Amino acid sequence: MSGAMSAPVTPRAPRDWKRRAEELFTRRLLDERSPFPCVFGVDALRRGTLRFAFVDDTAEEAPGAPAPGDGMDAAARGTAKALADYAARAPSIGRRTSLVVVYRGALGPHPGSGPGALKAYRDRFWTLLQRVHTHDTHPWPDGIPRDPESPSWEFCFAGTPMFVVVNTPAHERRRSRGFPYFCITFQPRFVFEGLEGSSAQGRNARRIIRDRLGAYDDVPPAPVLGDYGTAGNREWTQYFLEEEEGAAVPPRCPFSVHAPRAPGAQRAGEG
């Protein structure tokens, strides 16, 4: 298991899976022939403020391990370690920063391909996020609702609200969410400050992203994509996007907040 954080394109052994994953991710974001939709991620990579962490969730299945595991515990511990390290450094890294956590395995037996595989990855993602949450020693931050149905809810770790993006090998038509490795990108909420949907700069960024999504993916942009804090928006529905247009979204968020409140925290946005 590893949760160590690295700067982009760190020299590694030629056959190292970490190097392969990092190079594939970097190449995709910088491909000028097919511009990647997330302009914030591309900008972070070009500025040198994108960070990678690599988690070997297959370690529990290695020969000689005390007991067989599904990889989830190793993944949760490694992710929590990487997030704690990143959250402490993120403000000093730069305004446009993100953390990409790449997993060696599939958080369990390989699910194959097709709709069944997508469901398996979705279920494993939410299970992982919940287990990562149990490793968070910080209280839930003031100002962030605890109810995921609130338009102003966001996943938080170490007191830092973060937008979450999931990529899986099972995403084929929604290419912007596909990747040979299962990976999760965490973007601190401060990345989007000044880019609210009500601002001219924010509207322009969203127009560029949606235009690029239309050209990059083989399916239309997901209808759940919305603007943080606006009525009807649910951030959690945007973390793991379904492959096909019109696919059903779970009626309630699978994630529950169990962290204690920050001292003096108000029940912002709840009820």
Side-chain angles (χ1 to χ4, degrees):
M1 178 193 71
S2 172
M5 190 173 64
S6 76
V9 197
T10 304
R12 296 189 176 91
R15 298 182 182 276
D16 191 349
W17 70 272
K18 301 174 186 178
R19 178 177 180 179
R20 177 176 183 270
E22 189 171 318
E23 289 178 344
L24 287 172
F25 201 94
T26 299
R27 192 181 311 148
R28 184 168 77 148
L29 262 62
L30 298 183
D31 187 354
E32 296 182 355
R33 297 170 300 175
S34 182
F36 192 72
C38 182
V39 295
F40 305 115
V42 174
D43 191 34
L45 183 60
R46 287 176 172 161
R47 290 171 180 257
T49 55
L50 188 71
R51 295 293 182 265
F52 291 89
F54 304 93
V55 176
D56 187 354
D57 56 299
T58 67
E60 293 178 339
E61 303 172 3
D70 60 3
M72 194 66 71
D73 287 338
R77 291 192 302 271
T79 305
K81 181 179 183 300
L83 279 174
D85 185 20
Y86 177 70
R89 302 184 190 184
S92 64
I93 293 175
R95 173 104 180 263
R96 297 285 183 261
T97 181
S98 299
L99 173 67
V100 181
V101 183
V102 186
Y103 303 85
R104 187 174 188 177
L107 308 184
H110 195 283
S113 59
L118 201 69
K119 181 182 184 304
Y121 279 119
R122 181 181 67 237
D123 293 346
R124 293 173 189 181
F125 159 68
W126 285 112
T127 298
L128 173 63
L129 202 67
Q130 192 70 60
R131 291 200 194 181
V132 169
H133 178 54
T134 65
H135 290 278
D136 190 358
T137 59
H138 292 70
W140 196 254
D142 189 6
I144 300 296
R146 297 168 68 88
D147 181 6
E149 301 305 308
S150 169
S152 299
W153 181 85
E154 197 77 276
F155 173 73
C156 302
F157 194 92
T160 303
M162 303 181 190
F163 184 68
V164 181
V165 175
V166 182
N167 293 81
T168 81
H171 282 87
E172 297 177 356
R173 289 165 53 77
R174 196 172 297 284
R175 295 174 53 234
S176 59
R177 291 300 182 103
F179 194 63
Y181 294 89
F182 180 83
C183 65
I184 305 175
T185 300
F186 297 89
Q187 294 178 300
R189 191 73 244 161
F190 66 70
V191 169
F192 307 104
E193 291 178 358
L195 297 171
E196 294 78 11
S198 58
S199 70
Q201 191 174 2
R203 289 193 298 270
N204 184 58
R206 284 160 179 76
R207 179 186 59 78
I208 294 173
I209 290 172
R210 288 184 177 273
D211 287 348
R212 288 189 177 188
L213 281 172
Y216 198 88
D217 290 344
D218 296 328
V219 292
V224 297
L225 297 178
D227 295 334
Y228 178 78
T230 61
N233 179 68
R234 294 189 297 171
E235 289 288 283
W236 69 268
T237 63
Q238 304 171 55
Y239 289 1
F240 190 107
L241 295 183
E242 298 299 326
E243 177 82 326
E244 299 297 337
E245 183 181 11
V249 176
R252 293 285 297 180
C253 181
F255 181 87
S256 298
V257 176
H258 298 305
R261 296 180 186 278
Q266 299 178 353
R267 295 176 178 265
E270 295 185 36

Short mmCIF file of all heavy atoms in Angstrom, two decimals, residues 108-160:
data_model
loop_
_atom_site.label_atom_id
_atom_site.label_comp_id
_atom_site.label_asym_id
_atom_site.label_seq_id
_atom_site.Cartn_x
_atom_site.Cartn_y
_atom_site.Cartn_z
N GLY A 108 -11.07 -4.94 -5.82
CA GLY A 108 -11.72 -6.25 -5.71
C GLY A 108 -11.49 -7.03 -6.99
O GLY A 108 -10.69 -6.63 -7.84
N PRO A 109 -12.22 -8.15 -7.17
CA PRO A 109 -12.07 -8.93 -8.40
C PRO A 109 -12.37 -8.08 -9.62
O PRO A 109 -13.24 -7.21 -9.60
CB PRO A 109 -13.12 -10.03 -8.22
CG PRO A 109 -13.34 -10.13 -6.75
CD PRO A 109 -13.17 -8.73 -6.22
N HIS A 110 -11.65 -8.32 -10.71
CA HIS A 110 -11.86 -7.53 -11.92
C HIS A 110 -13.29 -7.73 -12.41
O HIS A 110 -13.74 -8.85 -12.62
CB HIS A 110 -10.87 -7.95 -13.00
CG HIS A 110 -10.79 -6.95 -14.12
ND1 HIS A 110 -11.76 -6.85 -15.09
CD2 HIS A 110 -9.87 -5.99 -14.40
CE1 HIS A 110 -11.44 -5.88 -15.94
NE2 HIS A 110 -10.30 -5.34 -15.53
N PRO A 111 -14.04 -6.62 -12.61
CA PRO A 111 -15.47 -6.75 -12.94
C PRO A 111 -15.77 -6.99 -14.41
O PRO A 111 -16.94 -7.08 -14.79
CB PRO A 111 -16.03 -5.40 -12.49
CG PRO A 111 -14.90 -4.45 -12.69
CD PRO A 111 -13.64 -5.23 -12.39
N GLY A 112 -14.75 -7.04 -15.26
CA GLY A 112 -15.00 -7.25 -16.68
C GLY A 112 -15.37 -5.95 -17.37
O GLY A 112 -14.78 -4.90 -17.10
N SER A 113 -16.38 -6.00 -18.24
CA SER A 113 -16.79 -4.80 -18.97
C SER A 113 -18.31 -4.77 -19.07
O SER A 113 -19.00 -5.72 -18.70
CB SER A 113 -16.16 -4.79 -20.37
OG SER A 113 -16.56 -5.94 -21.10
N GLY A 114 -18.83 -3.67 -19.60
CA GLY A 114 -20.26 -3.55 -19.78
C GLY A 114 -20.96 -2.93 -18.59
O GLY A 114 -20.33 -2.50 -17.62
N PRO A 115 -22.32 -2.91 -18.63
CA PRO A 115 -23.10 -2.29 -17.55
C PRO A 115 -22.82 -2.88 -16.17
O PRO A 115 -22.81 -2.17 -15.17
CB PRO A 115 -24.56 -2.54 -17.98
CG PRO A 115 -24.48 -2.73 -19.46
CD PRO A 115 -23.17 -3.40 -19.72
N GLY A 116 -22.60 -4.20 -16.11
CA GLY A 116 -22.32 -4.83 -14.83
C GLY A 116 -21.03 -4.33 -14.22
O GLY A 116 -20.93 -4.14 -13.00
N ALA A 117 -20.03 -4.11 -15.07
CA ALA A 117 -18.75 -3.60 -14.59
C ALA A 117 -18.90 -2.17 -14.08
O ALA A 117 -18.32 -1.80 -13.05
CB ALA A 117 -17.71 -3.66 -15.70
N LEU A 118 -19.67 -1.38 -14.80
CA LEU A 118 -19.86 0.01 -14.38
C LEU A 118 -20.55 0.07 -13.01
O LEU A 118 -20.16 0.86 -12.15
CB LEU A 118 -20.70 0.75 -15.43
CG LEU A 118 -20.58 2.27 -15.42
CD1 LEU A 118 -19.20 2.70 -15.89
CD2 LEU A 118 -21.64 2.90 -16.30
N LYS A 119 -21.54 -0.78 -12.82
CA LYS A 119 -22.22 -0.82 -11.52
C LYS A 119 -21.26 -1.26 -10.41
O LYS A 119 -21.29 -0.71 -9.31
CB LYS A 119 -23.42 -1.76 -11.57
CG LYS A 119 -24.19 -1.84 -10.25
CD LYS A 119 -25.34 -2.80 -10.31
CE LYS A 119 -26.14 -2.80 -9.01
NZ LYS A 119 -25.31 -3.07 -7.81
N ALA A 120 -20.41 -2.24 -10.73
CA ALA A 120 -19.45 -2.71 -9.72
C ALA A 120 -18.51 -1.59 -9.32
O ALA A 120 -18.25 -1.37 -8.13
CB ALA A 120 -18.67 -3.90 -10.27
N TYR A 121 -18.00 -0.86 -10.30
CA TYR A 121 -17.10 0.26 -9.99
C TYR A 121 -17.83 1.34 -9.21
O TYR A 121 -17.26 1.93 -8.28
CB TYR A 121 -16.53 0.85 -11.27
CG TYR A 121 -15.35 0.09 -11.83
CD1 TYR A 121 -15.41 -0.48 -13.11
CD2 TYR A 121 -14.16 -0.04 -11.11
CE1 TYR A 121 -14.33 -1.17 -13.64
CE2 TYR A 121 -13.08 -0.73 -11.63
CZ TYR A 121 -13.16 -1.30 -12.90
OH TYR A 121 -12.09 -1.97 -13.41
N ARG A 122 -19.07 1.62 -9.56
CA ARG A 122 -19.84 2.65 -8.84
C ARG A 122 -20.02 2.24 -7.38
O ARG A 122 -19.79 3.04 -6.47
CB ARG A 122 -21.19 2.86 -9.51
CG ARG A 122 -22.03 3.93 -8.80
CD ARG A 122 -23.39 4.11 -9.47
NE ARG A 122 -24.23 2.93 -9.32
CZ ARG A 122 -24.77 2.26 -10.33
NH1 ARG A 122 -24.53 2.62 -11.57
NH2 ARG A 122 -25.53 1.21 -10.09
N ASP A 123 -20.44 1.00 -7.16
CA ASP A 123 -20.65 0.54 -5.78
C ASP A 123 -19.35 0.56 -4.99
O ASP A 123 -19.33 0.93 -3.80
CB ASP A 123 -21.25 -0.87 -5.79
CG ASP A 123 -22.67 -0.91 -6.35
OD1 ASP A 123 -23.27 0.17 -6.49
OD2 ASP A 123 -23.15 -2.02 -6.68
N ARG A 124 -18.25 0.15 -5.64
CA ARG A 124 -16.97 0.13 -4.95
C ARG A 124 -16.48 1.53 -4.63
O ARG A 124 -15.88 1.77 -3.59
CB ARG A 124 -15.94 -0.63 -5.79
CG ARG A 124 -16.23 -2.11 -5.91
CD ARG A 124 -15.29 -2.81 -6.88
NE ARG A 124 -15.73 -4.18 -7.15
CZ ARG A 124 -15.09 -5.03 -7.95
NH1 ARG A 124 -13.97 -4.65 -8.54
NH2 ARG A 124 -15.57 -6.25 -8.13
N PHE A 125 -16.75 2.48 -5.55
CA PHE A 125 -16.35 3.86 -5.29
C PHE A 125 -17.03 4.39 -4.03
O PHE A 125 -16.37 4.97 -3.15
CB PHE A 125 -16.70 4.75 -6.48
CG PHE A 125 -16.80 6.21 -6.11
CD1 PHE A 125 -15.68 6.93 -5.73
CD2 PHE A 125 -18.03 6.87 -6.12
CE1 PHE A 125 -15.77 8.27 -5.36
CE2 PHE A 125 -18.14 8.20 -5.76
CZ PHE A 125 -17.00 8.90 -5.38
N TRP A 126 -18.34 4.20 -3.91
CA TRP A 126 -19.05 4.75 -2.75
C TRP A 126 -18.65 4.03 -1.47
O TRP A 126 -18.56 4.67 -0.41
CB TRP A 126 -20.56 4.68 -2.99
CG TRP A 126 -21.04 5.72 -3.95
CD1 TRP A 126 -21.54 5.52 -5.21
CD2 TRP A 126 -21.02 7.14 -3.75
NE1 TRP A 126 -21.84 6.73 -5.81
CE2 TRP A 126 -21.53 7.73 -4.93
CE3 TRP A 126 -20.63 7.96 -2.70
CZ2 TRP A 126 -21.66 9.12 -5.07
CZ3 TRP A 126 -20.75 9.34 -2.84
CH2 TRP A 126 -21.27 9.90 -4.01
N THR A 127 -18.39 2.74 -1.57
CA THR A 127 -17.89 2.02 -0.40
C THR A 127 -16.54 2.56 0.03
O THR A 127 -16.28 2.78 1.22
CB THR A 127 -17.78 0.51 -0.70
OG1 THR A 127 -19.08 0.00 -1.01
CG2 THR A 127 -17.23 -0.25 0.50
N LEU A 128 -15.67 2.79 -0.95
CA LEU A 128 -14.35 3.34 -0.67
C LEU A 128 -14.44 4.72 -0.03
O LEU A 128 -13.78 5.00 0.98
CB LEU A 128 -13.52 3.40 -1.95
CG LEU A 128 -12.16 4.10 -1.84
CD1 LEU A 128 -11.24 3.35 -0.87
CD2 LEU A 128 -11.50 4.22 -3.21
N LEU A 129 -15.26 5.60 -0.62
CA LEU A 129 -15.36 6.96 -0.09
C LEU A 129 -15.85 6.95 1.36
O LEU A 129 -15.37 7.72 2.19
CB LEU A 129 -16.29 7.80 -0.97
CG LEU A 129 -16.10 9.32 -0.88
CD1 LEU A 129 -14.75 9.72 -1.47
CD2 LEU A 129 -17.22 10.05 -1.61
N GLN A 130 -16.79 6.06 1.65
CA GLN A 130 -17.28 5.96 3.02
C GLN A 130 -16.19 5.48 3.97
O GLN A 130 -16.04 5.99 5.09
CB GLN A 130 -18.48 5.01 3.08
CG GLN A 130 -19.25 5.07 4.39
CD GLN A 130 -20.01 6.38 4.56
OE1 GLN A 130 -20.87 6.74 3.77
NE2 GLN A 130 -19.67 7.14 5.61
N ARG A 131 -15.40 4.51 3.54
CA ARG A 131 -14.33 4.00 4.41
C ARG A 131 -13.22 5.03 4.57
O ARG A 131 -12.63 5.15 5.65
CB ARG A 131 -13.76 2.70 3.82
CG ARG A 131 -14.72 1.53 3.88
CD ARG A 131 -13.99 0.22 3.75
NE ARG A 131 -14.92 -0.87 3.46
CZ ARG A 131 -14.55 -2.14 3.32
NH1 ARG A 131 -13.27 -2.48 3.42
NH2 ARG A 131 -15.45 -3.08 3.06
N VAL A 132 -12.94 5.78 3.52
CA VAL A 132 -11.95 6.86 3.64
C VAL A 132 -12.42 7.87 4.69
O VAL A 132 -11.63 8.35 5.50
CB VAL A 132 -11.75 7.55 2.27
CG1 VAL A 132 -10.94 8.84 2.42
CG2 VAL A 132 -11.04 6.61 1.30
N HIS A 133 -13.70 8.16 4.68
CA HIS A 133 -14.28 9.10 5.63
C HIS A 133 -14.04 8.66 7.08
O HIS A 133 -13.82 9.50 7.97
CB HIS A 133 -15.78 9.23 5.34
CG HIS A 133 -16.52 10.13 6.27
ND1 HIS A 133 -16.15 11.44 6.52
CD2 HIS A 133 -17.63 9.91 7.03
CE1 HIS A 133 -17.00 11.98 7.37
NE2 HIS A 133 -17.90 11.08 7.71
N THR A 134 -14.06 7.36 7.33
CA THR A 134 -13.86 6.86 8.69
C THR A 134 -12.42 7.11 9.18
O THR A 134 -12.17 7.08 10.39
CB THR A 134 -14.17 5.36 8.80
OG1 THR A 134 -13.23 4.62 8.01
CG2 THR A 134 -15.58 5.06 8.32
N HIS A 135 -11.50 7.34 8.26
CA HIS A 135 -10.10 7.61 8.63
C HIS A 135 -9.85 9.11 8.86
O HIS A 135 -8.73 9.48 9.23
CB HIS A 135 -9.15 7.11 7.54
CG HIS A 135 -9.07 5.61 7.43
ND1 HIS A 135 -8.27 4.86 8.26
CD2 HIS A 135 -9.69 4.74 6.60
CE1 HIS A 135 -8.39 3.58 7.94
NE2 HIS A 135 -9.25 3.48 6.94
N ASP A 136 -10.85 9.94 8.62
CA ASP A 136 -10.68 11.39 8.76
C ASP A 136 -10.80 11.76 10.24
O ASP A 136 -11.85 11.54 10.86
CB ASP A 136 -11.74 12.12 7.94
CG ASP A 136 -11.49 13.61 7.85
OD1 ASP A 136 -10.51 14.10 8.46
OD2 ASP A 136 -12.29 14.30 7.18
N THR A 137 -9.76 12.32 10.80
CA THR A 137 -9.74 12.68 12.22
C THR A 137 -10.23 14.10 12.47
O THR A 137 -10.31 14.53 13.63
CB THR A 137 -8.33 12.52 12.80
OG1 THR A 137 -7.42 13.37 12.07
CG2 THR A 137 -7.85 11.07 12.69
N HIS A 138 -10.53 14.85 11.41
CA HIS A 138 -10.97 16.23 11.56
C HIS A 138 -12.49 16.32 11.64
O HIS A 138 -13.19 15.50 11.05
CB HIS A 138 -10.48 17.08 10.38
CG HIS A 138 -9.00 17.28 10.34
ND1 HIS A 138 -8.12 16.26 10.04
CD2 HIS A 138 -8.23 18.38 10.56
CE1 HIS A 138 -6.88 16.72 10.08
NE2 HIS A 138 -6.92 18.00 10.40
N PRO A 139 -13.01 17.33 12.31
CA PRO A 139 -14.46 17.53 12.33
C PRO A 139 -14.95 18.00 10.97
O PRO A 139 -14.18 18.54 10.17
CB PRO A 139 -14.66 18.61 13.40
CG PRO A 139 -13.36 19.34 13.45
CD PRO A 139 -12.30 18.32 13.15
N TRP A 140 -16.23 17.78 10.72
CA TRP A 140 -16.84 18.27 9.47
C TRP A 140 -16.79 19.79 9.48
O TRP A 140 -17.14 20.43 10.47
CB TRP A 140 -18.27 17.78 9.37
CG TRP A 140 -18.86 17.89 7.99
CD1 TRP A 140 -19.79 18.80 7.57
CD2 TRP A 140 -18.57 17.06 6.87
NE1 TRP A 140 -20.09 18.59 6.25
CE2 TRP A 140 -19.35 17.53 5.79
CE3 TRP A 140 -17.72 15.96 6.67
CZ2 TRP A 140 -19.31 16.94 4.52
CZ3 TRP A 140 -17.68 15.38 5.42
CH2 TRP A 140 -18.46 15.87 4.36
N PRO A 141 -16.33 20.42 8.40
CA PRO A 141 -16.11 21.87 8.42
C PRO A 141 -17.40 22.68 8.55
O PRO A 141 -18.45 22.31 8.02
CB PRO A 141 -15.42 22.14 7.08
CG PRO A 141 -15.78 21.00 6.21
CD PRO A 141 -15.92 19.82 7.11
N ASP A 142 -17.28 23.78 9.24
CA ASP A 142 -18.38 24.73 9.37
C ASP A 142 -18.73 25.28 7.99
O ASP A 142 -17.85 25.56 7.17
CB ASP A 142 -17.96 25.87 10.31
CG ASP A 142 -19.11 26.78 10.67
OD1 ASP A 142 -20.26 26.47 10.28
OD2 ASP A 142 -18.87 27.81 11.33
N GLY A 143 -20.01 25.44 7.72
CA GLY A 143 -20.44 26.02 6.45
C GLY A 143 -20.74 25.00 5.38
O GLY A 143 -21.31 25.36 4.34
N ILE A 144 -20.36 23.73 5.58
CA ILE A 144 -20.67 22.68 4.61
C ILE A 144 -21.76 21.80 5.20
O ILE A 144 -21.56 21.19 6.26
CB ILE A 144 -19.43 21.82 4.27
CG1 ILE A 144 -18.33 22.69 3.67
CG2 ILE A 144 -19.82 20.69 3.31
CD1 ILE A 144 -18.68 23.32 2.34
N PRO A 145 -22.91 21.74 4.57
CA PRO A 145 -24.00 20.91 5.11
C PRO A 145 -23.58 19.45 5.23
O PRO A 145 -22.72 18.97 4.49
CB PRO A 145 -25.12 21.07 4.08
CG PRO A 145 -24.79 22.32 3.33
CD PRO A 145 -23.30 22.41 3.32
N ARG A 146 -24.20 18.74 6.15
CA ARG A 146 -23.93 17.31 6.31
C ARG A 146 -24.84 16.47 5.43
O ARG A 146 -24.59 15.28 5.23
CB ARG A 146 -24.12 16.92 7.78
CG ARG A 146 -23.15 17.63 8.72
CD ARG A 146 -23.54 17.45 10.17
NE ARG A 146 -23.38 16.08 10.63
CZ ARG A 146 -22.25 15.58 11.14
NH1 ARG A 146 -21.17 16.34 11.25
NH2 ARG A 146 -22.19 14.33 11.56
N ASP A 147 -25.89 17.07 4.90
CA ASP A 147 -26.84 16.37 4.05
C ASP A 147 -26.41 16.47 2.58
O ASP A 147 -26.41 17.56 2.01
CB ASP A 147 -28.23 16.98 4.22
CG ASP A 147 -29.29 16.26 3.39
OD1 ASP A 147 -28.96 15.23 2.75
OD2 ASP A 147 -30.44 16.73 3.38
N PRO A 148 -26.06 15.34 1.94
CA PRO A 148 -25.62 15.39 0.54
C PRO A 148 -26.67 15.92 -0.44
O PRO A 148 -26.33 16.26 -1.56
CB PRO A 148 -25.29 13.92 0.22
CG PRO A 148 -24.99 13.30 1.55
CD PRO A 148 -25.95 13.99 2.50
N GLU A 149 -27.94 15.97 0.00
CA GLU A 149 -28.98 16.48 -0.89
C GLU A 149 -28.98 18.01 -0.94
O GLU A 149 -29.67 18.59 -1.78
CB GLU A 149 -30.35 15.98 -0.43
CG GLU A 149 -30.47 14.46 -0.39
CD GLU A 149 -30.12 13.81 -1.72
OE1 GLU A 149 -30.66 14.22 -2.76
OE2 GLU A 149 -29.27 12.88 -1.71
N SER A 150 -28.22 18.64 -0.07
CA SER A 150 -28.14 20.10 -0.09
C SER A 150 -27.32 20.56 -1.30
O SER A 150 -26.29 19.96 -1.64
CB SER A 150 -27.47 20.61 1.19
OG SER A 150 -27.15 21.99 1.06
N PRO A 151 -27.73 21.64 -1.97
CA PRO A 151 -26.97 22.16 -3.13
C PRO A 151 -25.55 22.59 -2.77
O PRO A 151 -24.69 22.69 -3.65
CB PRO A 151 -27.80 23.36 -3.59
CG PRO A 151 -29.16 23.12 -3.06
CD PRO A 151 -28.98 22.40 -1.76
N SER A 152 -25.29 22.85 -1.48
CA SER A 152 -23.97 23.33 -1.05
C SER A 152 -23.16 22.24 -0.35
O SER A 152 -22.13 22.54 0.25
CB SER A 152 -24.14 24.53 -0.11
OG SER A 152 -24.78 25.59 -0.77
N TRP A 153 -23.62 20.99 -0.44
CA TRP A 153 -22.83 19.89 0.14
C TRP A 153 -21.65 19.57 -0.76
O TRP A 153 -21.70 19.74 -1.99
CB TRP A 153 -23.69 18.64 0.30
CG TRP A 153 -22.95 17.48 0.92
CD1 TRP A 153 -22.76 17.23 2.23
CD2 TRP A 153 -22.26 16.43 0.22
NE1 TRP A 153 -22.01 16.09 2.42
CE2 TRP A 153 -21.68 15.58 1.19
CE3 TRP A 153 -22.06 16.12 -1.13
CZ2 TRP A 153 -20.94 14.45 0.87
CZ3 TRP A 153 -21.32 15.01 -1.47
CH2 TRP A 153 -20.77 14.17 -0.47
N GLU A 154 -20.57 19.11 -0.15
CA GLU A 154 -19.40 18.61 -0.88
C GLU A 154 -18.68 17.61 0.03
O GLU A 154 -18.74 17.72 1.26
CB GLU A 154 -18.46 19.76 -1.24
CG GLU A 154 -17.45 19.43 -2.34
CD GLU A 154 -18.07 19.44 -3.73
OE1 GLU A 154 -18.66 18.39 -4.11
OE2 GLU A 154 -17.97 20.46 -4.43
N PHE A 155 -18.03 16.64 -0.58
CA PHE A 155 -17.20 15.72 0.21
C PHE A 155 -16.07 16.52 0.85
O PHE A 155 -15.48 17.41 0.22
CB PHE A 155 -16.62 14.62 -0.69
CG PHE A 155 -15.62 13.75 0.01
CD1 PHE A 155 -16.02 12.81 0.96
CD2 PHE A 155 -14.26 13.88 -0.26
CE1 PHE A 155 -15.09 12.02 1.61
CE2 PHE A 155 -13.32 13.08 0.39
CZ PHE A 155 -13.74 12.14 1.33
N CYS A 156 -15.76 16.19 2.09
CA CYS A 156 -14.69 16.89 2.81
C CYS A 156 -13.73 15.89 3.44
O CYS A 156 -14.16 14.81 3.89
CB CYS A 156 -15.26 17.79 3.90
SG CYS A 156 -16.41 19.06 3.34
N PHE A 157 -12.48 16.25 3.48
CA PHE A 157 -11.48 15.46 4.20
C PHE A 157 -10.47 16.42 4.80
O PHE A 157 -10.02 17.36 4.13
CB PHE A 157 -10.76 14.47 3.27
CG PHE A 157 -9.98 13.42 4.02
CD1 PHE A 157 -10.56 12.20 4.34
CD2 PHE A 157 -8.68 13.65 4.43
CE1 PHE A 157 -9.86 11.23 5.05
CE2 PHE A 157 -7.97 12.71 5.14
CZ PHE A 157 -8.56 11.48 5.45
N ALA A 158 -10.13 16.19 6.06
CA ALA A 158 -9.21 17.05 6.78
C ALA A 158 -9.65 18.50 6.74
O ALA A 158 -8.84 19.42 6.64
CB ALA A 158 -7.79 16.91 6.23
N GLY A 159 -10.97 18.71 6.80
CA GLY A 159 -11.51 20.05 6.83
C GLY A 159 -11.55 20.75 5.49
O GLY A 159 -11.90 21.93 5.41
N THR A 160 -11.22 20.04 4.40
CA THR A 160 -11.15 20.64 3.07
C THR A 160 -12.27 20.11 2.18
O THR A 160 -12.29 18.91 1.86
CB THR A 160 -9.80 20.34 2.40
OG1 THR A 160 -8.74 20.81 3.24
CG2 THR A 160 -9.71 20.99 1.03
#
